[in-house]
Amino acid sequence: MSRFLQVCVFCVSVAGCSLAPQTALPPPPVPASWPMGDAFLAQSEAALPAVSYTELFRDPRLLALIDAALADNRDLRIAYADLAAARAQVRVVRAGQFPSVGVGAGATASDEEGGSRFDISAGVSGFELDLFGRLRNATESERNRAFATEAVARTVRVALVAEIATTYATYAADRDLLAIARATADNARESVRLTRLRLEGGVAPRTDLARAEQVLAAAEQSIAEQTASLAQDVNALRLLVGRDIEPALLPASLAEIAGSYAPLPAGTDSRVLLRRPDVIEAEYRLRAANADIGAARARLFPTLSLTGLLGLASTALGDLVTGGAFSARAGADAAFTIFDAGGRRAGVEVTEAQRDAALAQYEGAIQTAFREVADALADQGTLGERARAAAANSAAAATEARLTEARYRAGVDNFLDNLVAQRSLFAARRQQVAVELAALANRATLYRVLGGDRAASPGS
């Protein structure tokens, strides 16, 4: 075997080396299953179900808003643009692994004997043999960062779907609260009218009328506040969707949409958290950090670059393709820094420290995810009982208010008892709406903290 072939075989064999450490993911630093106890429902599923938001949120109007948002939301567009840039950057870095070929042509003219000269050349300039994997590790690092950026886009997408579902339910709750405020105001106006008649008849004191007017003023203030809240809910939906919203797409009450939010079983195995986009993002950033270590280690070794040039030159254009016009040249350069005051070694230490930070961030992302899911499950486990208690309280308050008002009209009870009963009813109804809203918001939250659609990807 010739010396040239031996050198080529050596370069190819060495070029297969990589100085990057293997990425070994640690066991998830969380319990293997979700918390148990009075606050948690029994979980029967063994893994995160393969469901999409269309299976969880079944109201056609809500789905129309979500589909519009996936097309027009500006934050999502930014995330997709960042992803496109990251994918292109991978190709930019990867191009350094291949030789760059250039072509040139020229012509010169002279009054001296010999006339004109014509040149055509093609060459490879400064192609670095990736003997120790620096370029390949740089490409691998950039590729993993692109995967992390894709996970970021998925996180934005999942959060967007959950936020729209929550805001949609909030609008329905505010419609209910506005209806409660209006009903309370109507009842208060009747109390004011009745109390004024009793005052004019000398049966009731003036303080009763003042108290009745207080109840009416409070109800009218609540109407104004809920009207503003509804407008703000629409503004929030408009921003999330990225376009104007047809009034026909908005719900009239919580009762109208309560059955369209399906429950999402969380599963017993906490390893489903490894599918969360933010955890996937942290994993790929850890892999990128390991690849950076390989690239930094490779800088400790010499670099070898190849150059080559093929050309044609002739004093006559017609002779340009003859054998005597052809020329070729090749060369190789090796470079190695003998002393740099420890700069390259410090560069390796920087990447190793960054890897340690990426590992901690990966583990922290899992722990944060576990806490968010456990909190959502605790809410889910108690919301049923809270809803039953709120409904019972509201029914009891309505009965008390009705009986107290009848006794007041009959002159058995004073107006203060009636006032307290009306205020209790108003608060109980508002609390019931709050619990019903929390139940729907909890389902959207579980969708988000469990990672959304298992197969969801940007642009899907």
Side-chain angles (χ1 to χ4, degrees), residues 141-394:
S141 174
E142 209 62 48
R143 182 180 293 112
N144 282 310
R145 286 188 171 87
F147 289 147
T149 304
E150 180 178 359
V152 171
R154 286 183 55 198
T155 299
V156 174
R157 182 182 188 273
V158 169
L160 176 63
V161 172
E163 191 170 358
I164 291 176
T166 301
T167 306
Y168 188 77
T170 300
Y171 178 88
D174 285 337
R175 287 286 296 266
D176 284 345
L177 293 176
L178 179 59
I180 291 171
R182 286 173 173 169
T184 302
D186 290 341
N187 188 65
R189 290 189 188 95
E190 178 62 20
S191 294
V192 168
R193 186 190 68 82
L194 176 61
T195 305
R196 182 175 288 112
L197 291 175
R198 291 169 63 86
L199 174 63
E200 293 172 353
V203 179
R206 184 168 295 276
T207 53
D208 284 359
L209 178 59
R211 288 167 178 165
E213 290 173 342
Q214 286 179 355
V215 174
L216 176 58
E220 289 175 341
Q221 178 182 349
S222 181
I223 290 174
E225 291 172 348
Q226 292 308 135
T227 301
S229 294
L230 283 173
Q232 291 166 355
D233 293 339
V234 174
N235 292 337
L237 282 172
R238 187 181 291 115
L239 177 62
L240 291 170
V241 173
R243 65 175 72 165
D244 202 9
I245 298 174
E246 294 291 335
L249 294 177
L250 298 174
S253 66
L254 281 173
E256 184 180 271
I257 65 171
S260 66
Y261 282 56
L264 177 66
T268 58
D269 193 341
S270 64
R271 287 177 297 178
V272 299
L273 297 177
L274 300 180
R275 297 172 181 165
R276 270 184 43 145
D278 58 336
V279 175
I280 293 174
E281 175 197 354
E283 175 186 338
Y284 279 117
R285 295 203 184 280
L286 173 59
R287 294 181 183 277
N290 272 334
D292 287 339
I293 293 175
R297 287 175 176 174
R299 292 189 183 95
L300 299 175
F301 297 90
T303 59
L304 179 63
S305 299
L306 300 179
T307 58
L309 179 67
L310 300 176
L312 295 170
S314 175
T315 57
L317 185 62
D319 296 334
L320 198 61
V321 295
T322 62
F326 179 80
S327 64
R329 185 172 69 251
D333 297 302
F336 180 66
T337 302
I338 298 177
F339 177 75
D340 65 352
R344 288 172 298 154
R345 173 59 61 185
V348 174
E349 294 174 358
V350 168
T351 57
E352 290 175 343
Q354 291 171 339
R355 185 271 316 276
D356 293 342
L359 176 60
Q361 289 169 350
Y362 172 72
E363 294 178 328
I366 295 176
Q367 291 176 335
T368 299
F370 184 88
R371 183 264 174 93
E372 290 179 350
V373 175
D375 286 350
L377 290 176
D379 264 346
Q380 182 191 59
T382 58
L383 275 168
E385 184 58 34
R386 287 154 58 187
R388 286 189 292 271
N393 183 42
S394 182

Side-chain angles (χ1 to χ4, degrees), residues 392-402 421 424-426 428:
N393 183 42
S394 182
T399 300
E400 180 190 12
R402 185 178 66 255
S424 296
L425 175 60
F426 181 67

Side-chain angles (χ1 to χ4, degrees), residues 113-128:
E113 186 177 356
S116 302
R117 178 183 176 85
F118 302 93
D119 300 276
I120 298 176
S121 63
V124 177
S125 59
F127 169 53
E128 180 182 339

